[in-house]
Each structure stands twice: as structure tokens, then as C-alpha cells.
Amino acid sequence: MKLKWKFTLLFTLILTGTFVLSAVFTSYRSYESSRKTTDELSLQLMASKASEVSGWLSQRIRELHTISRTPTVTAMEETA
């Protein structure tokens, strides 16, 4: 094999290796970044849904208190 071909092959292998390592490193960093963002967004979504459910439940409790104070319901309690 001629020296010219050896240098060309060596240069190609180094260039390819550098490209592959760069692609793997970039992919890993992208994966870590997207995973971190996904975790944060999931926590925000869960907190938002918990707050929404809490508000809904509080509203239902207020409605039950309002219904329990109506004359019809209080009359039922007195006759029972």
C-alpha cells in the first residue's frame, strides 16, 4: 500500500471518528437536556392538575354547604 493511501485512510478514519464522537456527545447532551425539561414540565403539569382538582373540590364543598342551608333541607332535619 502506498504512503499516500495510508495517509488518506488515516485522515479519513480520524475525521470519521471525530464526527462519530461529536454526534454521540451531541446526542447525549440533547437527550439529557430534553429529559430534564420533560421532567420539569411533568412536575408543573401535575401541580397544575392538583390545583385544578383542589379548586373543583372546594367549589363542590361550597355548593354542598349552600344546599345544606336551604329551607327545604333544614326543614327535613327538624322533622327527622
Side-chain angles (χ1 to χ4, degrees), residues 2-58:
K2 292 185 179 182
L3 189 58
K4 179 181 176 182
W5 285 108
K6 287 182 182 180
F7 282 128
T8 304
L9 183 61
L10 181 62
F11 179 73
T12 304
L13 287 175
I14 289 172
L15 191 62
T16 304
T18 303
F19 177 74
V20 168
L21 287 176
S22 175
V24 168
F25 180 71
T26 303
S27 175
Y28 177 75
R29 287 192 63 183
S30 175
Y31 170 75
E32 287 295 317
S33 175
S34 65
R35 196 184 93 204
K36 182 180 175 185
T37 303
T38 301
D39 289 345
E40 290 172 358
L41 289 174
S42 294
L43 289 174
Q44 288 177 0
L45 180 63
M46 285 187 277
S48 173
K49 288 296 180 182
S51 176
E52 186 178 331
V53 168
S54 175
W56 178 85
L57 188 57
S58 295

